[in-house]
Amino acid sequence: MKNVLVIGVGPHARRSHLPALAAGQRDGLVGTICGVDILGAATVLTVFDSDDGPRDLPVTPIEPFPAGEHTLPDAVRHTLDALVARRSIDAVVVATEPAFHMVYARWALERGLTILLDKPLGVRANASTDPAQAGAILTDVDDLLTRYDRARRHHPGVMVSVQSQRRYHPAFWALRDLIAEIAEATGCPVTSVQSFHSDGQWRLPDELLDLDYHGYGRGYGKCAHSGYHFFDIIPWLLAAGDASGKMADAVRVHAEVTRPADLLAQLGVADYERLFDGFAARNRYTEAELRAGLHGFGEVDAGISMAFTSAGRTLTLATLNLFHNGFSQRGNLAPAAALYKGNGRVRQETHIIQQGPFQALHLHSLQTLEDGFAGERYAVGGDQHIEVHVFRNNRFRPDWKPYTRLGRDDLTTTADGHLATPTQQSSRRRSMHEFLLYLNGRRDRHQMCSDLTTHRTAAALMAGTYLSMAHRFSGASPEATLSLAPMLAALPAQVRGREVIVR
């Protein structure tokens, strides 16, 4: 059994990583688990809920240090090195604020440790306002890929897996299978993708200044948190059409965003005073003070247009709409203590995929919060809703069904001997389980769904989106063009195109 160090034990780690690691202990895949976090962010024994009830995690405090450091401060490095030696650590889970992902991943690779890296791969402070910082998102990833290659030469078993759970979701497995089938039959790649995701977490204007969450005050936001899943899943779905032989070598990106100061144009201080009794007494800021204080904050919502091109010709048009300030079920003035899942946060997500004249796929997950919903939880409006609609041109191929609906039961399958249900929580568990199988020699490198080397296009899309934001903020043209060719050249042959998915 392998011993695991969790770097960063905040709300996400306590909800996702730690219960999954505890399940790994139960299955005989994990030995000891310990954590580190910055001084004051966690208790020495941090409590989390596992499948078997509350558990304690021993946590070692480290001194805070600024984001953007290329190497760890000596004191932090010595603390981590001592933990690795004393606890016989084999692998690390990096679950910190995204701006710190890179520095911890570099440290771990230098020591030959296998890594589960939380999304996104990394981000830079002020990425939405400074083009140099936006571009550095991709150069940081390229540097990490180089270090990964070097580490594998000295430690052949080293793996960096990225937790991007939609790659582990049965509904997205179904989409890839359907896309690949049509690509093989017709030679047509994916020609259009329209993706939408809303977190539905309503933040009041004074809370945007007073409550640190999602990195707004550090000059980035939605696109560097849950948004990364969609920068990843779009090229992952496009790759299912590689059987057509038609692949993009570049992408043009144009982003329009709503920043916290823009939210005041939608609902201003006077509106909130009318909507919430007690807001006027609580709020410490005038509208002018809010606008000044929120200047330069990162994006809350983003509308992103992308064109994937080959030799200058457009293969695929994609639109990605990412909203943090969408439909919410918050109704109270006081913010929830747990911002990660509080303030009425409710997920709604759709993907519409066209494959020329041959196929259209619609994935919908239209949820509300469980409390107060009287309907079936797997139906539209239920907290576990998911369905896929498949349309095919049966006038061209009479053996194709013109319409098929795939519901929860159709999308539920098995993976590695476990039930694979079409939920985000279950998919996150599969990501961790795959990582632990690899650690224990029960999964081959080329069977891994989310190796770091397959994430460069996602990093390019994220960097391009922030470049577009930063260009507009600085008064330049908001379009960004990035080459995808370095990714294709860097990948080993067996992971180009359609990765192996082991279920």
Side-chain angles (χ1 to χ4, degrees), residues 60-96:
T60 300
I62 55 175
E63 289 293 333
F65 60 94
E69 297 287 334
H70 196 73
T71 59
L72 291 173
D74 289 345
V76 174
R77 189 179 70 255
H78 291 156
T79 297
L80 294 180
D81 287 346
L83 270 175
V84 168
R86 186 170 69 254
R87 298 272 189 169
S88 299
I89 296 297
D90 301 287
V92 299
V93 176
V94 178
T96 63

Side-chain angles (χ1 to χ4, degrees), residues 43-269:
T43 57
V44 174
L45 282 178
T46 293
V47 177
F48 66 94
D49 290 324
S50 74
D51 297 344
D52 303 320
R55 296 272 297 270
D56 291 332
L57 177 79
V59 176
T60 300
I62 55 175
E63 289 293 333
F65 60 94
E69 297 287 334
H70 196 73
T71 59
L72 291 173
D74 289 345
V76 174
R77 189 179 70 255
H78 291 156
T79 297
L80 294 180
D81 287 346
L83 270 175
V84 168
R86 186 170 69 254
R87 298 272 189 169
S88 299
I89 296 297
D90 301 287
V92 299
V93 176
V94 178
T96 63
E97 163 63 34
F100 295 89
H101 284 183
M102 285 291 165
V103 69
Y104 286 113
R106 293 186 194 110
W107 165 82
L109 283 176
E110 288 170 0
R111 282 142 186 82
L113 297 169
T114 285
I115 305 167
L116 180 63
L117 183 61
D118 215 346
K119 56 76 190 167
L121 306 184
V123 71
R124 289 291 193 101
N126 301 316
S128 74
T129 60
D130 182 345
Q133 295 296 88
I137 292 171
L138 186 55
T139 55
D140 282 345
V141 171
D142 283 338
D143 174 72
L144 191 65
L145 285 166
T146 299
R147 291 168 182 269
Y148 185 25
D149 180 64
R150 186 186 309 142
R152 284 172 56 179
R153 293 176 193 169
H154 295 286
H155 308 279
V158 165
M159 163 64 62
V160 181
S161 183
V162 181
Q163 196 199 50
S164 193
Q165 71 256 18
R166 281 164 183 77
R167 294 192 183 201
Y168 298 85
H169 195 296
F172 290 92
W173 294 345
L175 293 181
R176 277 178 64 100
D177 288 343
L178 292 162
I179 291 167
E181 182 184 345
I182 295 300
E184 290 164 4
T186 68
C188 186
V190 173
T191 53
S192 171
V193 179
Q194 301 170 63
S195 293
F196 165 88
H197 181 263
S198 175
D199 287 313
Q201 191 189 71
W202 188 9
R203 298 282 299 281
L204 276 57
D206 59 330
E207 295 167 1
L208 291 166
L209 274 180
D210 293 342
L211 301 179
D212 182 25
Y213 183 66
H214 256 42
Y216 298 131
R218 292 182 287 278
Y220 51 85
K222 166 73 173 177
C223 293
H225 286 266
S226 56
Y228 181 81
H229 289 299
F230 306 94
F231 294 128
D232 176 54
I233 208 63
I234 288 176
W236 191 79
L237 291 172
L238 297 186
D242 285 355
S244 68
K246 303 174 181 74
M247 292 171 277
D249 55 32
V251 62
R252 295 192 302 272
V253 184
H254 182 114
E256 297 285 353
V257 302
T258 301
R259 299 178 187 269
D262 297 317
L263 298 182
L264 292 170
Q266 300 168 356
L267 289 171
V269 169

Side-chain angles (χ1 to χ4, degrees), residues 198-491:
S198 175
D199 287 313
Q201 191 189 71
W202 188 9
R203 298 282 299 281
L204 276 57
D206 59 330
E207 295 167 1
L208 291 166
L209 274 180
D210 293 342
L211 301 179
D212 182 25
Y213 183 66
H214 256 42
Y216 298 131
R218 292 182 287 278
Y220 51 85
K222 166 73 173 177
C223 293
H225 286 266
S226 56
Y228 181 81
H229 289 299
F230 306 94
F231 294 128
D232 176 54
I233 208 63
I234 288 176
W236 191 79
L237 291 172
L238 297 186
D242 285 355
S244 68
K246 303 174 181 74
M247 292 171 277
D249 55 32
V251 62
R252 295 192 302 272
V253 184
H254 182 114
E256 297 285 353
V257 302
T258 301
R259 299 178 187 269
D262 297 317
L263 298 182
L264 292 170
Q266 300 168 356
L267 289 171
V269 169
D271 296 306
Y272 279 101
E273 289 175 349
R274 185 177 67 255
L275 291 169
F276 286 101
D277 290 337
F279 178 77
R282 187 190 80 178
N283 176 38
R284 298 182 295 149
Y285 309 104
T286 66
E287 190 149 327
E289 289 171 336
L290 284 168
R291 290 186 186 280
L294 295 170
H295 180 73
F297 272 41
E299 77 288 352
V300 179
D301 306 325
I304 307 158
S305 174
M306 296 176 280
F308 292 85
T309 63
S310 177
R313 301 292 185 183
T314 300
L315 286 180
T316 307
L317 292 175
T319 57
L320 176 53
N321 292 301
L322 299 173
F323 293 92
H324 197 63
N325 187 45
F327 164 71
S328 172
Q329 289 183 265
R330 176 180 179 177
N332 52 295
L333 174 62
L339 291 177
Y340 180 68
K341 283 293 183 184
N343 291 349
R345 184 173 182 178
V346 55
R347 179 188 303 112
Q348 296 198 339
E349 175 177 348
T350 66
H351 302 268
I352 302 173
I353 300 156
Q354 306 282 348
Q355 225 164 336
F358 303 109
Q359 176 168 251
L361 304 172
H362 292 234
L363 182 152
H364 299 284
S365 179
L366 305 176
Q367 302 177 1
T368 59
L369 296 181
E370 185 177 5
D371 295 345
F373 180 70
E376 217 281 325
R377 69 183 308 194
Y378 304 113
V380 173
D383 69 308
Q384 297 292 336
H385 171 253
I386 184 79
E387 59 187 350
V388 172
H389 302 270
V390 184
F391 301 88
R392 286 186 168 176
N393 183 351
N394 71 321
R395 299 293 179 90
F396 174 75
R397 282 275 298 267
D399 57 315
W400 287 345
K401 290 183 65 174
Y403 169 71
T404 305
R405 177 188 176 276
L406 304 176
R408 179 183 184 274
D409 291 345
D410 304 297
L411 298 170
T412 299
T413 182
T414 57
D416 299 314
H418 292 75
L419 188 67
T421 58
T423 66
Q424 297 298 330
Q425 180 180 8
S426 176
S427 301
R428 282 190 289 267
R429 281 288 183 98
R430 280 188 289 282
S431 172
M432 178 65 79
H433 187 67
E434 179 193 75
F435 177 71
L436 297 178
L437 288 176
Y438 179 85
L439 270 180
N440 285 271
R442 292 163 55 181
R443 179 59 50 88
D444 183 82
R445 175 182 301 279
H446 304 305
Q447 295 174 314
M448 299 292 284
C449 293
S450 197
D451 186 287
L452 175 65
T453 57
T454 66
H455 279 260
R456 190 182 184 278
T457 297
L461 296 182
M462 181 171 155
T465 297
Y466 276 111
L467 274 169
S468 179
M469 292 184 215
H471 285 159
R472 176 173 290 283
F473 190 85
S474 59
S477 168
E479 184 174 286
T481 300
L482 294 97
S483 171
L484 303 180
M487 176 202 68
L488 297 177
L491 291 185

